[in-house]
Amino acid sequence: MLNLRMEQIEQPKASPEKGLLEKLKLCLSKKPLPSPTDWKKFDHDFATSTSFHGVHNIVRNQSRIRKLIWLAVVLGSVSLVVWQIYSRLVNYFTWPTTTSIEVQYVEEIDFPAVTFCNLNRFQTEAVAKFGIIFFLWNIVYKVLHFQEIKSNYTGFKEAVDFLASHQNFSITEFVKNNGFYLNNSTLMECDFFGKPCGPQDFAHVFTEYGNCFTFNHGENIQAKEKVSVSGRGLSLLFNVNQEEFTDNPALGFVDAGIIFVIHSPNKVPQIDGLGLSSPVGMHARVTISQVKTVHQEYPWGECNPNIKLQNFSTYSTSGCLKECKAQHIQEQCGCLPFLLPGNGIECDLQKFYDCVSPTLDFIEVKGLCTMGTHNSSCPVPCEETEYPATISYSTFPSQKALKYLSKKLNQSQEYIRENLVNIEINYSDLNYKITQQQKAVSVSELLADVGGQLGLFCGASMITIIEIIEYIFTNFYWICILFLLKIPEMTQGVSLPQHHLGKGNRIEEC
C-alpha cells in the first residue's frame, strides 16, 4: 500500500511547456533535414545568384589570390557602407533643423493691434481718498508678474487694517472707475489710414498699468481693415493730463506719457519688456514690419501643436501662463483674479492677500507654470506673428504749432508741452517676413541617402536586402530543426541512467 502511494506521488506531472515542445518536435520531424551536401549547395547558389555585388567573384574565381582580393574588396565595401549608414542615422537622430527666411510682398497687409496705457495709472482725487491703493494694486497685479510683497513695507500694517475695515471693497471696480479713461478729452485726435476714429474703436483691457485700451482688437470692426499704402497707418494725439492722473514715485513710476505695445489682434497684450514709451511733449514715429515665425514640433523644435487654450483662439506663451496660474488659483482659493482669464467667482482683496498671493509664491517655488521648452507648462507657439518696431522722436509741438494748439484747445503753452503726446504708427513696406524652422533631414531623404550608400559601395537595393533576409531565415530554420531533433536525443541518453538510479534509491529507502 505504501509503495503504491509512493509511485503515485513520484509520477511526473506533464507540463504545458513540455507538451508544446513535443508538438513542435512532431511537426518538425515531418520536415526532411537537409544533408550537408544540400546545405553547401544552397550556400553556393546564393553566393552565385545574389544581387549583392562582388560575392559571386569570391566563389567563382579559381585563384586563391583573386579570392582573397575580392574578399578584401567586399569586406571593405561592407565596412564602409556600415560606417556611412551609422553616421547618417546618428545625424538624423540629433534632429537637425534649418531656418529659412522668405520675404513676401503683398498689396494689402493686416494692421496689428495696439494697446495704450497711461504711465500714471490712477485719478488723483480717488487716490487722495485711498492712499493705500498703490500697495493694494501691487498685490493684485502680482498675478501677472511674480514679485515679493515685503512685510516690512511702510504701508503693510495700513493695508491689513484697510482689508479688515473694507470687506466689500472691489479693487476691480475701483481701478475701472478711477483709473485712466479714454474719451474725447484724453484722446484728442485719432486717424486710421485717412479715416477718423475715436474712443469707441478701442477695447478696454486690464494690465499691470490698470486701465488700458486696445485699438484694432480681435472683436473690433477695425480688425477687418487692411493697410494698402506704406507710410500711413494710425495717428493719435493723447492728453495724459498729469494733474488729474497720478502714481507713486516710490514704486518706480516717475515718468509721464503713454506706454504702448504692438501685438497680434488675437494675442494677449504683454506690456512688460515689450512696451514702447512716448513721453509728453514728443512726437513718436513708429515704423513697424511683420514677421511670422514657424517653429517645428518636438524633437526637431520645442513647440507642441496639441496644446489648445480655453479662453484664447490663438495659442501664445503669455496666454498659456495666465491660464496656468488661473487654474491653480481657482483650485486652491475657489475664486479667480479679474486679471486672469476664465469663468469663476472674482477674488476680493482679502482673498488676494490671504490665498492668491501665497498660491502664486507656491507656483513659483515649485515651478508649476514654466515656459520655453516642449516639456514645460507653456512651450513656444508653433506659429506666431511679431511686429518689430523702430521708434524715433521729435519735439512736439513746434513753436508755431504750440501757439496754434494753445488757441485751439484754450490751454496754456506750458500745459500743452507737459501733457500732450503724439504717436504715429505705420508700416515701412508692404511685405512680411516668414522665418520658418524646417527639418534638415526628412525620412524620405534618410532612406534615399541610405539607399545611395548601399548602391555606391555594394550595388545593393531593397531586393538585395530581402534576398539576404531570406538566406538568413532559411539557415536559421534549418538550425532550429537540427537543434530540436538531435539535441534532445543526446540529453535523453545522458539523463536515462540518472532516472533509473534515482528510482532504485527510492525503492531502497522505502
Side-chain angles (χ1 to χ4, degrees), residues 88-245:
R88 264 56 176 182
L89 290 173
V90 168
N91 177 61
Y92 177 79
F93 286 107
T94 58
W95 316 113
T97 58
T98 58
T99 302
S100 64
I101 299 176
E102 183 181 358
V103 179
Q104 294 281 350
Y105 289 89
V106 293
E107 295 181 357
E108 292 184 337
I109 191 168
D110 294 325
F111 197 79
V114 190
T115 298
F116 300 92
C117 310
N118 193 339
L119 288 171
N120 292 297
R121 301 171 292 178
F122 303 107
Q123 297 175 26
T124 307
E125 184 179 353
V127 172
K129 296 179 181 178
F130 301 101
I132 194 60
I133 195 64
F134 292 118
F135 181 73
L136 296 178
W137 178 253
N138 215 31
I139 297 175
V140 170
Y141 97 107
K142 184 181 179 182
V143 299
L144 297 180
H145 307 287
F146 292 118
Q147 62 182 21
E148 184 181 359
I149 304 299
K150 298 180 180 179
S151 58
N152 58 359
Y153 177 70
T154 54
F156 183 77
K157 186 178 185 303
E158 185 181 351
V160 175
D161 296 337
F162 183 88
L163 291 173
S165 58
H166 294 79
Q167 294 291 336
N168 298 323
F169 183 82
S170 173
I171 196 166
T172 311
E173 293 299 322
F174 178 87
V175 174
K176 196 168 185 178
N177 297 328
N178 300 286
F180 178 63
Y181 55 82
L182 203 67
N183 58 19
N184 292 329
S185 65
T186 55
L187 181 62
M188 306 182 71
E189 291 182 10
C190 180
D191 181 272
F192 178 63
F193 197 49
K195 297 178 181 179
C197 52
Q200 70 277 3
D201 298 311
F202 291 75
H204 173 268
V205 292
F206 280 116
T207 71
E208 58 264 48
Y209 284 89
N211 292 336
C212 295
F213 300 89
T214 301
F215 177 80
N216 206 28
H217 190 264
E219 300 176 356
N220 191 288
I221 191 172
Q222 295 284 3
K224 299 178 181 178
E225 298 193 22
K226 297 183 178 183
V227 177
S228 58
V229 177
S230 62
R232 297 186 65 181
L234 180 64
S235 180
L236 304 164
L237 180 61
F238 285 101
N239 179 8
V240 300
N241 202 344
Q242 291 194 60
E243 292 183 358
E244 185 178 356
F245 298 101

Side-chain angles (χ1 to χ4, degrees), residues 50-68:
T50 181
S51 58
F52 194 96
H53 291 191
V55 176
H56 63 276
N57 290 319
I58 301 173
V59 178
R60 289 178 178 176
N61 273 307
Q62 301 299 323
S63 172
R64 288 188 177 182
I65 296 177
R66 289 187 176 183
K67 282 179 180 284
L68 291 174

Side-chain angles (χ1 to χ4, degrees), residues 168-392:
N168 298 323
F169 183 82
S170 173
I171 196 166
T172 311
E173 293 299 322
F174 178 87
V175 174
K176 196 168 185 178
N177 297 328
N178 300 286
F180 178 63
Y181 55 82
L182 203 67
N183 58 19
N184 292 329
S185 65
T186 55
L187 181 62
M188 306 182 71
E189 291 182 10
C190 180
D191 181 272
F192 178 63
F193 197 49
K195 297 178 181 179
C197 52
Q200 70 277 3
D201 298 311
F202 291 75
H204 173 268
V205 292
F206 280 116
T207 71
E208 58 264 48
Y209 284 89
N211 292 336
C212 295
F213 300 89
T214 301
F215 177 80
N216 206 28
H217 190 264
E219 300 176 356
N220 191 288
I221 191 172
Q222 295 284 3
K224 299 178 181 178
E225 298 193 22
K226 297 183 178 183
V227 177
S228 58
V229 177
S230 62
R232 297 186 65 181
L234 180 64
S235 180
L236 304 164
L237 180 61
F238 285 101
N239 179 8
V240 300
N241 202 344
Q242 291 194 60
E243 292 183 358
E244 185 178 356
F245 298 101
T246 186
D247 220 308
N248 187 358
L251 299 177
F253 296 91
V254 294
D255 302 323
I258 295 291
I259 185 169
F260 59 97
V261 62
I262 304 168
H263 56 94
S264 171
N266 297 320
K267 190 176 180 181
V268 181
Q270 187 179 352
I271 305 293
D272 184 46
L274 299 176
L276 303 172
S277 298
S278 179
V280 294
M282 288 289 179
H283 184 178
R285 291 180 175 85
V286 184
T287 303
I288 62 174
S289 58
Q290 187 179 115
V291 176
K292 295 182 179 179
T293 305
V294 179
H295 299 282
Q296 282 291 331
E297 61 186 272
Y298 182 81
W300 287 270
E302 297 295 340
C303 89
N304 186 346
N306 299 320
I307 297 181
K308 305 294 181 184
L309 301 183
Q310 298 178 356
N311 302 284
F312 303 100
S313 58
T314 304
Y315 176 85
S316 64
T317 305
S318 56
C320 176
L321 284 174
K322 286 186 176 182
E323 286 197 354
C324 179
K325 293 178 187 177
Q327 179 183 355
H328 288 290
I329 291 173
Q330 196 162 18
E331 289 175 357
Q332 296 295 324
C333 305
C335 62
L336 195 64
F338 67 91
L339 290 174
L340 298 180
N343 298 319
I345 302 173
E346 183 182 318
C347 299
D348 56 25
L349 270 177
Q350 193 69 44
K351 281 279 188 179
F352 267 103
Y353 184 77
D354 294 336
C355 183
V356 174
S357 184
T359 301
L360 289 169
D361 293 335
F362 179 78
I363 291 173
E364 184 180 15
V365 170
K366 297 296 182 179
L368 301 180
C369 294
T370 55
M371 57 180 286
T373 59
H374 72 280
N375 57 356
S376 60
S377 307
C378 299
V380 296
C382 294
E383 292 186 15
E384 61 180 337
T385 303
E386 296 178 338
Y387 299 88
T390 302
I391 187 169
S392 59

